[in-house]
Amino acid sequence: MPLFEQISEDIKSAMKARDKVRLNTLRNVKKVFLEAVTAPGANETLEDADALKIITKLAKQGKETAKTYIDNNRQDLADEELAQVAVLEEYLPKQLSEAEITEAVQAIITSTGAQGMKDMGKVMGIASKQMAGKADGKIISQIVKGLLG
């Protein structure tokens, strides 16, 4: 079942279960999905890869917002935000550990013959495509810098 349809079905389930956090989160996701589909020049359908990018972006924004709330001593708001992030993460692929990312980056460096920081762009391009949705770009970047530097 496509992710777009899965979200719609899960909204119905959340309504029946009276799970407000899940319901509000999924309604927001569906709203963003619909905006993406109806945007000028957009396709009539939303591919799962595009849907995952949207969910990843929303989860990342939620984490950043929660961090801001924590920095401003608003743990109550941070908890709400993190609860929504937890719902979003259920739809994302399992995230790679730092060791797995390091191993993948090592393999890319070996296969491309990268010699130093001048080759970082080449390595990052391949690594970002390979680990899209499975690892945060900042972490990938830190590991690439560490291995090439």
Side-chain angles (χ1 to χ4, degrees):
M1 173 183 305
L3 204 49
F4 187 83
E5 291 176 22
Q6 181 66 46
I7 296 290
S8 297
E9 290 300 314
D10 290 348
I11 287 173
K12 292 176 192 173
S13 300
M15 286 172 145
K16 290 177 185 174
R18 298 178 192 259
D19 185 344
K20 288 183 181 179
V21 172
R22 185 174 198 76
L23 180 61
N24 290 335
T25 304
L26 294 178
R27 280 183 173 162
N28 185 44
V29 170
K30 187 169 183 180
K31 176 186 76 102
V32 177
F33 281 0
L34 290 172
E35 288 171 355
V37 170
T38 59
N43 214 349
E44 289 293 317
T45 59
L46 185 68
E47 299 295 322
D48 278 356
D50 296 327
L52 283 174
K53 285 180 187 174
I54 291 170
I55 293 174
T56 302
K57 181 180 175 186
L58 291 172
K60 187 175 181 179
Q61 287 174 344
K63 288 177 186 176
E64 290 170 359
T65 302
K67 184 182 180 316
T68 303
Y69 287 146
I70 290 169
D71 291 346
N72 291 307
N73 296 321
R74 290 301 309 264
Q75 189 62 45
D76 55 328
L77 296 175
D79 291 342
E80 288 177 30
E81 203 65 42
L82 291 172
Q84 291 181 6
V85 169
V87 172
L88 294 171
E89 286 178 339
E90 293 174 19
Y91 295 92
L92 297 174
K94 181 186 166 287
Q95 296 294 297
L96 297 173
S97 69
E98 281 196 42
E100 291 169 321
I101 296 170
T102 303
E103 187 178 309
V105 170
Q106 283 281 22
I108 293 167
I109 290 171
T110 303
S111 69
T112 60
Q115 294 290 315
M117 290 304 286
K118 66 182 182 345
D119 294 324
M120 182 170 175
K122 182 183 356 176
V123 174
M124 277 301 296
I126 296 169
S128 295
K129 285 180 185 171
Q130 234 180 48
M131 295 181 253
K134 298 178 189 171
D136 184 26
K138 288 181 184 176
I139 296 172
I140 296 171
S141 177
Q142 289 172 349
I143 291 172
V144 170
K145 281 180 188 173
L147 294 174
L148 291 176

